[in-house]
Amino acid sequence: MPESPTTWVRKYACPTDLNGGQCIADDEILTHHTSQRDRYNNAPRPEVMEVELSVMRGRLTTVEACMRRNGGRPAHPSDVERAGVRYTTAGELRGEGNGHVSVVWPAANPLDEPDPAWPPHVQKTFAACFTEGEG
Amino acid sequence: MNLDMLVRAGQPPWHPVPTAEDIDVWDKYEFPICGSYRLDGRLIIFTLITTAGTRSLWAYVPVDPETEQAITEARFDSEGEFNDFLAGCFTGREAVFAAAENLIITSKSDGIHIPVGSNALLAMGAKWYAQRSAALHAELQKRLEAAASSEPTDPAELLSAAQGVIETLPV
């Protein structure tokens, strides 16, 4: 039987996770950036063939998150003005189901079989994990 | 390698030609930020230079077969080390720049030599973008002036030229 292609999530997974541990502790704060305030992606975007959602490790300000998304260069001021960030913890996300963190669903075999079609209740639950932010 | 083949308008910047194979994303957030792909067996590196609003500027460079292994096996201890490595892949080489709107390539450059120096890729890319924009501006203006001054005036051509200006140039 041919092997399934290696997913991006598996290829760049933290070695600790691959060995059954948890690279990111439950209490670690994660930042979710949006380029349009008040409009966050609550599920992978099928139009760009995403299978996971990206969040950033740590509590980043809007300026810092925009810079991270711009490949490490400071973002244009108007982009920062339009952007927003919201925060949660890894534990909050896990409860339901490198500097980059991929959120995948379902939990059964996340490294190899992430399902990009998050049902509405999963999207709602994901969004509810973020209880504070800027924009 | 024919640099004209690296990138094509209408494609996403991280999959810049339909025939690109083995696309390997090195870094991403919402969309791939840098990585590599193969074209006719040759390794090509791509990177985002910067975004601004819905527009973004990207760079592409082919890797010499003798340095391929060093690139594919490189490992880094810090983000700074990786950034230096990425910049080094372009230094002294002919690179191709591409402009994208909503992450779809709209325009590309010919091969442009990237000199030694920090931020050389950003400087050369921005310079190309400005020159390309100025050339486009001049082209649109010429067409508009020709349409407006022709006798008898062709209303359809004038409207089309005006729409081209409005669509393309910000005020």
Side-chain angles (χ1 to χ4, degrees), chain A residues 8 11-12 31-34 41 45 50 52 54-56 68-73 76 79 82 100, chain B residues 14-15 24-31 33 48-54 79 83 103 119 121-122:
Chain A
W8 192 85
K11 188 172 177 188
Y12 289 97
T31 302
H32 191 199
H33 165 280
T34 179
N41 292 332
R45 297 163 299 173
E50 265 178 346
E52 90 282 13
S54 299
V55 294
M56 303 171 192
R68 171 74 185 79
R69 185 178 176 270
N70 195 33
R73 294 184 192 278
H76 191 274
D79 288 349
R82 277 192 295 267
H100 175 272
Chain B
W14 54 91
H15 193 156
D24 185 15
V25 175
W26 296 347
D27 190 17
K28 64 183 282 193
Y29 187 83
E30 291 182 350
F31 56 83
I33 291 171
L48 168 71
I49 296 177
T50 191
T51 58
T54 55
E79 201 174 318
N83 291 338
L103 299 174
N119 295 311
L121 195 62
L122 172 62

Side-chain angles (χ1 to χ4, degrees), chain A residues 3-21:
Chain A
E3 273 184 42
S4 319
T6 305
T7 63
W8 192 85
V9 179
R10 172 174 281 286
K11 188 172 177 188
Y12 289 97
C14 166
T16 309
D17 283 327
L18 293 174
N19 292 323

